[in-house]
Amino acid sequence: MFMKLSLLLRMLLFYPILIGGNFSKGELQRFGNIELNPSAGVLNYGQGLFEGLKAYRKEDGNILLFRPEENALRMRQGAERMCMPAPTVDQFVEAVKETVLANKRWVPPPGKGSLYIRPLLMGSGAVLGLAPAPEYTFLIYVSPVGNYFKEGVAPINLIVEHELHRATPGGTGGVKTIGNYAAVLKAQSAAKAKGYSDVLYLDCVHKKYLEEVSSCNIFVVKGNVISTPAIKGTILPGITRKSIIDVARSQGFQVEERFVPVDELLDADEVFCTGTAVVVSPVGSITYKGKRVPYGVDGFGAVAQQLYSVLTRLQMGLIDDKMNWTVELS
């Protein structure tokens, strides 16, 4: 089976990689539309994965990537679940580096935002019957983004969804496949129409354990204990989630990864979400079966603020990286 993988750059260039079992070196080209066969596997059967990470500019002008090897590993795990080939960790990281360096002029100044990086792996080959595609395309496009909180931190207001579900046991909720995100749009749209920021999903079996928000992991704070739903196949293993857990433990907090009953929201001190775009987002309130539970309206809670500050300063190179999480590009 012949497989093609190519890399796409936002704003400036295009970088294809052709392989026949193994990767070969590609070339950078200008950004533009791509052509797909109408019977491409990604269009008909949803055979696609994506990743998201950021590059930050330091005060000395150098650029930092944050844990790109974790994105590479997660893409490989997702590709195995979706019957797709994938670049190795080294190939993925080198491709990200080359993409960012080719677009370095688009990395915002220190403290003014970041360069968002979107790797995408898809079945681009034509396949009419239900089967893995005969050809695949790997794209990386990038775009400068501003700071998520532009005018002060605005806590989000969530509603718990107990009828519709994001994922099921044995399904694909634990990998970053494209179809997972289309599945949340109905509940999310209904929530936003009612004035909520987003939806918090429960497990589909017992309908009482927290899973995640549409595109974020969730954390519940009570005293010195921070609880978050355990990774069990229906929850995406977020890289920001993983990082926040490690930072929290390094700061002296007790972190529990376990089944978290929805009732624990009722007497929590704080609730916050984590994700690539927002890093840490404070939750101002959660509504469950008509009851609204507030957590504060003035921005971050003390715990979320502490973790957000440590992690973002590490991502931007403002403190020593004792975790060895950042990759510096000169």
Side-chain angles (χ1 to χ4, degrees):
M1 179 173 66
F2 175 76
M3 294 167 288
K4 179 181 76 172
L5 283 93
S6 28
L7 286 179
L8 184 68
L9 308 187
R10 176 75 175 100
M11 312 301 295
L12 191 64
L13 302 167
F14 182 82
Y15 182 13
I17 296 180
L18 301 179
I19 70 168
N22 293 304
F23 278 85
S24 60
K25 183 64 177 176
E27 61 181 21
L28 292 161
Q29 297 180 15
R30 291 186 179 277
F31 173 83
N33 293 338
I34 60 173
E35 185 175 300
L36 281 177
N37 190 296
S39 61
V42 67
L43 297 180
N44 292 268
Y45 304 119
Q47 201 183 21
L49 297 160
F50 72 90
E51 282 296 328
L53 62 158
K54 290 179 177 177
Y56 299 85
R57 190 178 298 279
K58 296 173 59 184
E59 293 290 345
D60 63 8
N62 287 349
I63 296 168
L64 287 180
L65 302 176
F66 184 71
R67 308 192 78 174
E69 72 289 343
E70 292 290 335
N71 295 92
L73 287 168
R74 189 170 63 180
M75 175 168 276
R76 289 185 62 79
Q77 292 163 357
E80 191 279 330
R81 176 65 178 85
M82 300 297 289
C83 296
M84 305 168 72
T88 66
V89 171
D90 287 344
Q91 289 164 341
F92 181 102
V93 173
E94 287 305 311
V96 168
K97 287 180 180 179
E98 190 160 351
T99 304
V100 171
L101 287 173
N103 289 275
K104 61 186 178 183
R105 70 189 181 100
W106 297 104
V107 182
K112 300 298 183 181
S114 58
L115 187 73
Y116 183 79
I117 307 160
R118 169 60 61 84
L120 172 64
L121 178 64
M122 61 183 175
S124 52
V127 54
L128 187 58
L130 180 57
E135 182 177 303
Y136 296 85
T137 300
F138 177 47
L139 309 176
I140 299 178
Y141 63 93
V142 302
S143 179
V145 293
N147 291 327
Y148 196 88
F149 299 117
K150 298 178 180 63
E151 298 176 359
V153 177
I156 61 175
N157 299 298
L158 304 177
I159 184 170
V160 176
E161 174 60 55
H162 49 86
E163 294 298 331
L164 299 177
H165 297 281
R166 176 190 167 274
T168 60
T172 59
V175 298
K176 206 168 174 68
T177 183
I178 58 177
N180 288 348
Y181 295 84
V184 306
L185 297 178
K186 181 178 177 64
Q188 186 187 63
S189 298
K192 290 187 175 182
K194 296 176 182 177
Y196 298 102
S197 309
D198 213 328
V199 174
L200 173 57
Y201 291 91
L202 301 179
D203 76 288
C204 69
V205 178
H206 306 284
K207 296 188 177 183
K208 71 173 186 178
Y209 296 111
L210 305 183
E211 291 231 314
E212 61 179 90
V213 183
S214 299
S215 59
C216 297
N217 296 113
I218 191 157
F219 290 78
V220 179
V221 181
K222 185 66 176 178
N224 195 54
V225 179
I226 303 174
S227 302
T228 191
I231 300 298
K232 58 186 192 311
T234 56
I235 298 170
L236 187 72
I239 294 162
T240 308
R241 171 192 181 276
K242 182 177 182 178
S243 304
I244 282 292
I245 288 172
D246 289 343
V247 167
R249 286 173 173 156
S250 75
Q251 296 289 304
F253 292 98
Q254 177 183 336
V255 181
E256 297 179 351
E257 299 178 73
R258 58 179 174 85
F259 290 100
V260 182
V262 65
D263 291 343
E264 290 192 18
L265 295 173
L266 302 179
D267 65 346
D269 297 334
E270 295 179 39
V271 178
F272 62 87
C273 299
T274 63
T276 300
V278 69
V279 185
V280 175
S281 176
V283 174
S285 73
I286 293 180
T287 299
Y288 177 52
K289 292 186 175 180
K291 180 176 181 179
R292 181 179 181 273
V293 182
Y295 302 105
V297 294
D298 297 324
F300 281 112
V303 174
Q305 175 67 71
Q306 180 178 343
L307 301 180
Y308 175 81
S309 177
V310 173
L311 187 57
T312 53
R313 286 171 62 80
L314 192 156
Q315 289 174 327
M316 293 185 285
L318 299 175
I319 59 175
D320 263 354
D321 178 15
K322 297 179 181 177
M323 304 283 198
N324 292 319
W325 284 346
T326 55
V327 176
E328 185 163 355
L329 310 179
S330 59

